[in-house]
Amino acid sequence: MESSNERFIELNRLAEAGDAVRIEKQHKAGKLTARERIAILLDKGTFVEIDKFVIHQCHNFDLDKQQLAGDGIVGGYGKIDGRLVYVYAYDFTVFGGSLSRTNANKIIKLQKLALKMGAPIIALNDSGGARIQEGVSSLAGYGDIFYQNTIASGVIPQISVILGPCAGGACYSPALTDFIFMVKDHSHMFVTGPEVVKTVTHEEVDKEELGGASVHNSTSGVAHFLGENEEDTLMMVRELLAFLPSNNMDDAPRAPYSSNMEPSSIDLDNFIPTDSSKPYDMKELIESVVDGGYFFEIQENFAPNILVGFARIEGKVVGIVANQPAFQAGVLDIDTSDKAARFIRFCDCFSIPIVSFVDVPGFLPGCTQEHGGIIRHGAKIVYAYVEATVPKITVITRKAYGGAYIVMSSKHTGADVNFAYPNAEIAVMGQEGAVNILYKKVSDEEKTKARKEYEEKFSNPYRAAELGYIDEIILPSQTREKLIQALDMTHTKIRANPAKKHGNIPL
Ligand code: HXC
């Protein structure tokens, strides 16, 4: 007679094996299974599965005759670089990875555990959405997941990886998390699919064009990372986690630092063009001051006129926000405002100091921007910087004009240390615009004279330094050394905003 241990071993084997035909279909579609994905993501042999034998409780449409252990979610905990994480993966080979009430409960159990233990949670999405046969029970499951996502926001890092379809209301769980990863050609996110779009708006669009990985990484800004394939994407998740603390009470892990991690230096003192209308690549500047010259960029393809991402300075993790003069002169617009503000707030939630590099001609003018609400979007950057209580260090590398000077982590919006290079131009606007307003009716000769006078008076950092708005004027070649000093000096920063339920960021 079969012993209870043997029975368990067999049931366990069956649960883990899954349905061979459906697994083959999944592989043929160029996708991995839930278990294969988890095995790649986590440190080898560390996965502990929870609720492996959970089954759905639905009797509609004879669904009780189809029972599969696990019911479309494989979830549990394990380690990434030796640190605890929680993970759950939708299993597309079980009812298309659709969400039942019971597998929603599995997810919620993990969300609650992750919050209680103070560890990141990672969702691997590949799902047909709400389990149609379960009706409102499935919808309720989604609602409960969103609730936990929101409660955990700012307490533990939450990461979503989209590895297949993610449609309808199901998109709102990833949207509530901190970072979304997508895979080229294989992942799709949309609130309404191509068929519904066609019926309602008569637009003909395929799923890739509507909500593929490139659309969300470059146009909508919904996603933060674009992987070439599943493995590459899961490796990026591991890399991101290396920059993050496990929770809001922890510090980000400090990497061991040795002098061979000094960035390879470029001639920074001659790097920025003397002609301030000429572009340069801010990424090169960042890479020449951070450890190993390594900048882990986030949302690389979205709003490229601002750069955000993580780096290390003497092993300490910093969040970097930088205008990018190589793209549209680094002008601020609606998308750059949203991108920067969200990143600043993430760094603040998780105690990551913010280093800002500023070279900004102003806000982008025009009806598209004004009608799109640049006033309310631009205000998000001010709000995010002011509200952030982490150390804030700013380096003005060239232009800092008008409102953009103020919003880009100026002394006035709460930066702790403000540096400027000797070629910095800190003024209300550029000389051309200023002279055209102040000297409308004068001769060209007088205009040239006025331009020269304006340039001498304002196109430099000295007036701001005289007023104490710039703490130190530094040579570009001193940047790394000055950042090290400033990070060291601000390490013990204590600042709290007045007690309130929460602020009302302009959304
Ligand atoms: C139950 C589902 C399902 C679902 C797929 N399946 N989606 N079962 N509920 N939502 C089942 C299929 O019946 C099929 O079972 C198996 O999963 C694989 O699906 P296929 O269609 O064969 O796969 P594929 O051709 O790759 O297409 C995948 C798909 C498609 C694009 C995801 O299945 C699809 O359009 N599904 C419905 C998507 C949808 O409209 N969901 C509801 C969204 S609204 P068999 O046994 O035949 O192999 C929503 C509201 C959430 O989610 C609100 C939250 C607040």
Side-chain angles (χ1 to χ4, degrees):
M1 197 179 96
E2 192 184 40
S3 75
S4 52
N5 283 0
E6 282 165 349
R7 177 170 143 74
F8 160 68
I9 289 166
E10 179 57 9
L11 287 175
N12 199 46
R13 190 192 65 76
L14 287 173
E16 287 185 7
D19 181 320
V21 176
R22 286 173 193 273
I23 290 174
E24 198 189 333
K25 197 175 162 203
Q26 177 84 344
H27 285 160
K28 275 207 176 124
K31 298 196 292 180
L32 298 171
T33 65
R35 282 173 204 284
E36 287 165 344
R37 287 165 175 163
I38 291 173
I40 291 172
L41 177 68
L42 299 183
D43 294 351
K44 203 167 185 298
T46 61
F47 182 51
V48 178
E49 190 172 349
I50 290 180
D51 286 343
K52 194 189 277 178
F53 294 118
V54 159
I55 51 171
H56 70 75
Q57 307 296 320
C58 179
H59 298 272
N60 303 333
F61 304 98
D62 286 339
L63 216 61
D64 47 329
K65 297 197 180 85
Q66 296 176 63
Q67 287 290 13
L68 287 157
D71 195 34
I73 289 287
V74 180
Y77 58 93
K79 301 264 170 94
I80 289 186
D81 289 333
R83 296 162 70 209
L84 176 68
V85 297
Y86 290 80
V87 61
Y88 61 90
Y90 288 84
D91 184 347
F92 195 82
T93 66
V94 180
F95 301 115
S98 57
L99 190 86
S100 66
R101 177 67 247 185
T102 43
N103 64 28
N105 290 346
K106 285 176 69 168
I107 294 173
I108 294 156
K109 188 192 265 190
L110 292 171
Q111 289 180 307
K112 287 183 174 169
L113 275 173
L115 190 60
K116 212 163 21 174
M117 308 308 162
I121 186 160
I122 304 152
L124 308 181
N125 292 257
D126 183 3
S127 164
R131 186 160 305 165
I132 295 163
Q133 298 92 325
E134 293 207 10
V136 72
S137 301
S138 168
L139 299 185
Y142 274 119
D144 295 342
I145 293 168
F146 302 167
Y147 184 93
Q148 292 303 329
N149 284 136
T150 308
I151 296 300
S153 179
V155 185
I156 49 169
Q158 299 182 85
I159 293 167
S160 302
V161 192
I162 316 297
L163 299 160
C166 182
C171 294
Y172 288 109
S173 176
L176 288 164
T177 63
D178 298 302
F179 297 104
I180 298 181
F181 290 73
M182 292 183 80
V183 189
K184 210 167 152 189
D185 302 330
H186 285 289
S187 41
H188 301 100
M189 295 179 80
F190 31 72
V191 172
T192 48
E195 284 309 314
V196 178
V197 171
K198 193 172 165 189
T199 313
V200 178
T201 71
H202 309 293
E203 277 172 284
E204 298 237 9
V205 63
D206 64 25
K207 59 182 182 176
E208 188 61 28
E209 233 182 306
L210 184 64
S214 15
V215 167
H216 287 311
N217 272 277
S218 55
T219 311
S220 72
V222 164
H224 302 84
F225 296 96
L226 174 65
E228 277 299 311
N229 52 50
E230 292 198 16
E231 196 157 354
D232 176 48
T233 310
L234 295 168
M235 288 304 124
M236 283 199 286
V237 175
R238 287 178 63 93
E239 190 172 6
L240 170 66
L241 280 166
F243 287 98
L244 310 185
S246 293
N247 59 63
N248 64 340
M249 306 302 279
D250 245 4
D251 286 331
R254 192 164 186 150
Y257 180 74
S258 64
S259 56
N260 65 6
M261 287 162 91
E262 288 285 322
S264 51
S265 59
I266 53 172
D267 179 9
L268 268 188
D269 287 339
N270 292 302
F271 175 68
I272 297 172
T274 40
D275 176 351
S276 69
S277 63
K278 287 227 166 86
Y280 62 93
D281 187 353
M282 186 66 93
K283 264 186 232 181
E284 276 188 62
L285 195 153
I286 297 167
E287 285 162 2
S288 72
V289 299
V290 299
D291 291 0
Y294 189 60
F295 174 48
F296 184 70
E297 194 177 349
I298 297 167
Q299 291 195 305
E300 191 177 349
N301 303 309
F302 175 66
N305 27 346
I306 206 154
L307 306 169
V308 300
F310 297 112
R312 292 188 183 86
I313 296 182
E314 286 204 328
K316 189 178 172 65
V317 174
V318 293
I320 289 185
V321 180
N323 306 115
Q324 171 56 294
F327 190 87
Q328 293 175 349
V331 74
L332 290 178
D333 58 18
I334 291 170
D335 287 346
T336 53
S337 303
D338 286 0
K339 175 176 169 181
R342 184 155 168 82
F343 180 70
I344 293 162
R345 295 192 100 211
F346 178 84
C347 291
D348 191 44
C349 288
F350 292 102
S351 313
I352 297 172
I354 300 165
V355 177
S356 306
F357 292 93
V358 179
D359 186 346
V360 61
F363 280 95
L364 184 63
C367 283
T368 311
Q369 290 292 308
E370 296 293 350
H371 296 181
I374 183 63
I375 296 173
R376 112 186 116 80
H377 291 282
K380 292 177 198 174
I381 309 191
V382 187
Y383 196 105
Y385 269 127
V386 172
E387 176 192 48
T389 57
V390 289
K392 291 174 280 190
I393 298 157
T394 306
V395 185
I396 300 180
T397 63
R398 197 168 61 178
K399 284 179 258 182
Y401 285 129
Y405 153 69
I406 305 169
V407 308
M408 283 303 300
S409 197
S410 63
K411 192 58 96 194
H412 328 290
T413 53
D416 300 294
V417 183
N418 293 72
F419 298 118
Y421 291 166
N423 64 324
E425 302 167 18
I426 306 172
V428 174
M429 59 178 74
Q431 38 122 331
E432 192 69 35
V435 169
N436 284 344
I437 292 169
L438 295 177
Y439 299 94
K440 256 188 209 144
K441 292 177 188 150
V442 302
S443 67
D444 284 354
E445 206 175 303
E446 280 169 298
K447 273 191 183 162
T448 311
K449 202 171 140 226
R451 255 185 235 116
K452 203 154 178 268
E453 193 187 337
Y454 186 91
E455 199 171 326
E456 273 161 20
K457 272 214 166 83
F458 295 121
S459 294
N460 61 65
Y462 296 105
R463 187 66 188 133
E466 284 164 12
L467 295 167
Y469 302 154
I470 294 296
D471 301 300
E472 248 190 290
I473 297 172
I474 61 168
L475 289 172
S477 54
Q478 293 175 296
T479 310
R480 179 171 165 87
E481 156 201 346
K482 290 290 171 185
L483 289 177
I484 291 170
Q485 285 171 350
L487 286 165
D488 190 44
M489 188 273 280
T490 53
H491 181 65
T492 50
K493 179 177 178 185
I494 302 169
R495 204 200 113 195
N497 292 324
K500 52 181 145 179
K501 190 170 175 192
H502 58 71
N504 189 13
I505 187 166
L507 296 173

